[in-house]
């Protein structure tokens, strides 16, 4: 690949450090050096790419209050290069997650979602998503039943004022501080290229199904409730999660069937019961 054959040696020469690969997302290759992280976005095709994607992520980080982590953004051989400070931590794991990290995430998402954006959540968009997942999962009776239940709650979500949202806070994008690290937050949310206006409840649903659930469903629910209580209108936000959490599980199953079909059966076995339990056991009143 051009990234490793040509760009990587050039970066190592420019910064006088050896770079090692990190697990990256679909949009970019990621490498780490001495105190720095390098995201290399390939030239733009159908998705945001190249310098546009690198600048977009830097701008989104700054908007989210994380601008101090951005070092520089530039283009090299039509690739976009985003250089950030390296956070002294590692990906979320249940063993390393503690109350301090929960408090940090709670404060962060409340601040993030206080950034108002134009527009409201579209009713037609919600209907289209349910139709899409219902079609993809047409042969799963429990999925069809859940889609029908969620249709009853569209009006609770449609028209919600939008806020600035990360839109992908799963465990690979949540870093937890090393115990010995000093003067850094207990947790850090990374990978901001997909950030857009959305319903804050959707961000928290993805955080729940992709991160907090690793703690176990009971602890995940308690952590989610703790986070929600910090919002200006916690009861209203909480009720919307009855829609968004199960919908997010449906989205995950849809993704496996369309993108990674070999993992679809296991995804259904894991996610369908969780989606049904969340919906069926949901209490409209925030405990």
């Amino acid at each position: 690949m051009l990234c490793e054959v040509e760009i990587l040696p050039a970066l190592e020469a420019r910064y006088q450090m050896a770079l090692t690969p990190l697990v990256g997302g679909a949009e970019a290759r990621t490498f780490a050096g001495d105190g720095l992280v390098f995201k290399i976005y390939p030239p733009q095709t159908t998705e945001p790419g190249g310098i546009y994607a690198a600048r977009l992520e830097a701008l989104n980080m700054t908007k989210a209050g994380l601008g101090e982590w951005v070092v520089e953004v530039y283009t090299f051989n039509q690739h976009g290069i985003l250089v950030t400070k390296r956070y002294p931590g590692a990906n979320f794991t249940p063993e390393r997650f503690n109350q301090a990290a929960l408090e940090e995430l709670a404060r962060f998402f409340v601040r993030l979602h206080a950034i108002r954006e134009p527009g409201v959540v579209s009713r037609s968009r919600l209907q289209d998503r349910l139709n899409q997942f219902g079609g993809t999962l047409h042969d799963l009776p429990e999925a069809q039943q859940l889609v029908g239940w969620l249709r009853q709650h569209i009006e609770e979500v449609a028209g919600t004022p939008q806020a600035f949202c990360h839109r992908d806070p799963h465990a690979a994008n949540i870093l937890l501080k090393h115990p010995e690290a000093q003067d850094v937050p207990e947790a850090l949310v990374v990978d901001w290229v997909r950030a857009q206006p959305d319903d804050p409840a959707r961000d928290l649903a993805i955080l729940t199904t992709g991160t907090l659930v690793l703690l176990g469903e009971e602890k995940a629910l308690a952590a989610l409730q703790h986070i929600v209580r910090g919002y200006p209108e916690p009861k209203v936000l909480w009720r919307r999660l009855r829609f968004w959490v199960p919908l997010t599980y449906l989205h995950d199953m849809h993704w496996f069937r369309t993108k990674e079909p070999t993992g679809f059966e296991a995804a259904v076995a894991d996610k369908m019961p969780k989606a049904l339990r969340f919906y069926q056991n949901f209490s409209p009143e925030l405990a």
Side-chain angles (χ1 to χ4, degrees), residues 24-30 39-42 44 47-62 64 66 73 80 82 84 164-170 173 189-197:
E27 298 90 355
R29 298 292 304 278
T30 306
K39 291 189 75 170
I40 304 174
Y41 285 93
Q44 185 169 350
E47 297 292 333
I51 189 60
Y52 172 77
R55 286 174 176 165
L56 176 63
E57 181 161 13
L59 288 171
N60 284 339
M61 289 178 66
T62 302
L66 303 174
V73 182
L82 169 63
T84 62
F164 189 50
C165 292
H166 181 275
R167 299 184 82 240
D168 200 21
H170 60 76
N173 289 334
V189 183
V190 299
D191 197 358
W192 285 88
V193 74
R194 299 183 185 180
Q196 290 182 20

Side-chain angles (χ1 to χ4, degrees), residues 73-229:
V73 182
Y74 58 95
T75 186
F76 181 84
N77 280 4
Q78 298 183 304
H79 288 63
I81 313 295
L82 169 63
V83 186
T84 62
K85 297 177 185 176
R86 187 172 186 180
Y87 176 77
N91 288 119
F92 179 100
T93 61
E95 298 76 20
R96 299 181 60 250
F97 190 64
N98 55 31
Q99 187 65 29
L102 174 60
E103 298 291 351
E104 181 67 40
L105 288 177
R107 289 191 296 269
F108 177 79
F109 278 103
V110 169
R111 291 196 305 269
L112 180 71
H113 296 152
I115 303 173
R116 286 323 203 185
E117 296 280 12
V120 299
V121 175
S122 164
R123 179 180 291 100
S124 62
R125 172 189 157 211
L126 301 177
Q127 293 169 335
D128 289 346
R129 295 297 269 173
L130 284 174
N131 291 339
Q132 181 184 33
F133 301 155
T136 302
L137 308 173
H138 61 90
D139 53 343
L140 301 178
E142 289 180 322
Q144 295 303 306
Q145 184 178 43
L146 184 55
V147 167
W149 288 341
L150 294 183
R151 290 191 193 280
Q152 303 172 39
H153 302 286
I154 286 179
E155 295 305 319
E156 297 175 9
V157 180
T160 298
Q162 296 190 129
F164 189 50
C165 292
H166 181 275
R167 299 184 82 240
D168 200 21
H170 60 76
N173 289 334
I174 306 292
L175 304 182
L176 303 178
K177 180 178 76 70
H178 291 318
E180 69 278 6
Q182 301 292 324
D183 301 322
V184 294
E186 294 288 336
L188 186 71
V189 183
V190 299
D191 197 358
W192 285 88
V193 74
R194 299 183 185 180
Q196 290 182 20
D198 211 326
D199 182 352
R202 181 171 187 255
D203 248 6
L204 297 185
I206 299 170
L207 180 69
T208 301
T209 63
T211 302
L212 299 178
V213 75
L214 299 177
L215 305 171
E217 289 175 76
E218 185 176 345
K219 290 183 178 179
L221 181 62
L224 176 61
Q225 290 175 329
H226 179 82
I227 293 172
V228 170
R229 290 190 195 100

Side-chain angles (χ1 to χ4, degrees), residues 221-270:
L221 181 62
L224 176 61
Q225 290 175 329
H226 179 82
I227 293 172
V228 170
R229 290 190 195 100
Y231 281 75
E233 296 183 309
K235 293 181 180 179
V236 177
L237 173 61
W238 175 250
R239 292 189 185 106
R240 297 202 306 276
L241 285 161
R242 172 169 49 187
F243 176 88
W244 281 117
V245 170
L247 186 77
T248 304
Y249 280 123
L250 288 172
H251 168 271
D252 292 346
M253 289 181 276
H254 159 83
W255 186 90
F256 272 98
R257 171 156 271 181
T258 57
K259 304 293 185 182
E260 294 286 347
T262 57
F264 175 68
E265 186 175 342
V268 171
D270 174 51

